[in-house]
């Protein structure tokens, strides 16, 4: 009986010791496991998010607003600034250049002149060669009596042709042809060919506005004077 009592006491002591050990054992902290971040769709400014809300980007909107404001200021400045021109005029006849430079002086505009060489179409009026030089001389005399200047060509390939002059435009050549035929009764031919001639160039040496340029050209008939007109921007 004594041994049984001793066994029960030892058994209780062992149970109490085991229970205290388990209760005081520290808990093991579970370390977090690294995983990649969950990706999220990037929305454009014009797209909506998954819940139907409009995606806003305040920084981008601010930058765009600033850019639009700057563009408006630039557009307004350009609109207020008149376009400036530095025209170049090219003509063949000295009398045309004289009229243009006189008009430039009247406006008080500075300009530069230079002479260049270029090919220009020419229109030669003539009467076909008659059979003999004597007949050609008779035609020239008849034309002179009607105030038409002419002369006989003596070169081999054009021998006995009667030259009536050289014109720089088809329009003037046609007018002269019709006039001579009407007063003389002779048939007049026109021969067009290219020829090297001296050309006069006049550069306006200061910027002028479109409005001032229109005022200038209104004083002259440039369509009959000009070979070429360049309205170059300054």
């Amino acid at each position: 009986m004594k041994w049984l009592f001793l066994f029960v006491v030892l058994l209780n002591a062992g149970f109490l010791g085991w229970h205290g050990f388990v209760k005081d054992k520290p808990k093991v902290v579970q370390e977090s496991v690294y995983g990649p971040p969950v990706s999220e769709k990037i929305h454009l400014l014009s797209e909506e998010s998954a819940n139907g809300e409009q995606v806003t980007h305040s920084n981008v909107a601010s930058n765009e607003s600033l850019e639009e404001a700057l563009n408006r200021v630039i557009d307004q400045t350009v609109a207020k600034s008149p376009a400036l021109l530095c025209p170049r005029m090219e003509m063949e006849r000295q009398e045309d250049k004289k009229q243009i430079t006189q008009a430039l002086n009247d406006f008080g505009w500075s300009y530069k002149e230079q002479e260049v060489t270029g090919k220009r179409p020419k229109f030669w009026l003539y009467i076909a060669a008659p059979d003999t030089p004597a007949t050609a001389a008779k035609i020239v005399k008849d034309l002179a009596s009607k105030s038409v200047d002419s002369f006989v060509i003596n070169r081999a390939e054009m021998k006995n042709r009667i030259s009536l002059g050289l014109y720089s435009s088809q329009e003037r050549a046609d007018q002269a042809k019709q006039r001579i035929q009407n007063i003389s009764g002779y048939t007049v031919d026109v021969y067009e060919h290219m020829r090297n001639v001296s050309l006069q160039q006049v550069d306006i040496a200061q910027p002028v506005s479109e409005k001032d340029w229109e005022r200038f050209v209104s004083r002259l008939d440039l369509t009959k004077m000009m070979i070429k007109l360049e309205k170059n921007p300054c």
Side-chain angles (χ1 to χ4, degrees):
M1 188 71 179
K2 181 174 67 171
W3 291 106
L4 180 59
F5 176 76
L6 180 60
F7 175 75
V8 171
V9 171
L10 292 174
L11 182 61
N12 289 333
F15 176 77
L16 292 173
W18 176 82
H19 182 71
F21 175 78
V22 172
K23 184 177 180 180
D24 295 338
K25 185 177 181 182
K27 295 182 180 179
V28 178
V29 179
Q30 178 123 13
E31 295 183 359
S32 60
V33 179
Y34 171 78
V38 178
S39 62
E40 184 174 341
K41 182 180 178 182
I42 298 175
H43 297 275
L44 299 176
L45 290 176
S46 59
E47 293 181 340
E48 294 185 352
S49 61
N51 57 8
E53 296 179 354
Q54 185 71 30
V55 179
T56 59
H57 299 271
S58 59
N59 289 339
V60 175
S62 299
N63 290 339
E64 288 185 349
S65 298
L66 178 60
E67 183 177 356
E68 290 175 359
L70 289 173
N71 287 336
R72 282 196 298 271
V73 173
I74 293 173
D75 291 341
Q76 291 173 0
T77 303
V78 172
K80 292 179 181 178
S81 302
L84 297 178
L85 307 173
C86 290
R88 163 176 286 184
M89 296 166 281
E90 186 174 276
M91 67 237 53
E92 181 179 350
R93 299 187 303 172
Q94 288 286 348
E95 54 268 30
D96 291 339
K97 187 186 77 168
K98 184 177 180 180
Q99 290 185 46
I100 290 171
T101 54
Q102 181 60 55
L104 290 171
N105 290 329
D106 293 342
F107 272 72
W109 291 352
S110 59
Y111 58 91
K112 297 178 181 178
E113 302 176 56
Q114 63 177 343
E115 185 174 299
V116 297
T117 300
K119 286 187 176 294
R120 291 290 301 155
K122 294 295 178 180
F123 303 88
W124 176 47
L125 268 60
Y126 68 95
I127 295 174
D131 294 335
T132 64
T135 305
K138 183 180 178 180
I139 293 173
V140 169
K141 185 177 180 180
D142 186 25
L143 291 170
S145 68
K146 298 172 182 177
S147 301
V148 177
D149 294 331
S150 63
F151 63 91
V152 178
I153 298 177
N154 294 318
R155 286 183 297 178
E157 67 275 13
M158 296 183 182
K159 190 172 180 61
N160 291 336
R161 284 187 183 180
I162 294 92
S163 177
L164 301 171
L166 195 65
Y167 294 82
S168 58
S169 72
Q170 181 75 60
E171 182 182 4
R172 291 177 180 175
D174 290 341
Q175 290 174 353
K177 171 183 175 180
Q178 193 62 47
R179 180 180 62 84
I180 295 171
Q181 287 184 155
N182 289 341
I183 64 177
S184 70
Y186 296 107
T187 300
V188 177
D189 296 318
V190 180
Y191 174 70
E192 179 181 352
H193 64 289
M194 299 299 292
R195 189 170 180 177
N196 285 324
V197 297
S198 295
L199 303 176
Q200 311 300 317
Q201 288 183 347
V202 178
D203 293 323
I204 297 180
Q206 65 179 66
V208 297
S209 68
E210 186 78 39
K211 184 177 180 180
D212 288 339
W213 174 250
E214 290 177 359
R215 286 176 48 233
F216 174 78
V217 298
S218 66
R219 295 186 50 176
L220 302 165
D221 189 357
L222 294 181
T223 57
K224 294 183 178 180
M225 297 179 177
M226 294 294 97
I227 293 173
K228 184 167 61 176
L229 172 62
E230 299 175 2
K231 292 172 61 177
N232 301 318
C234 295

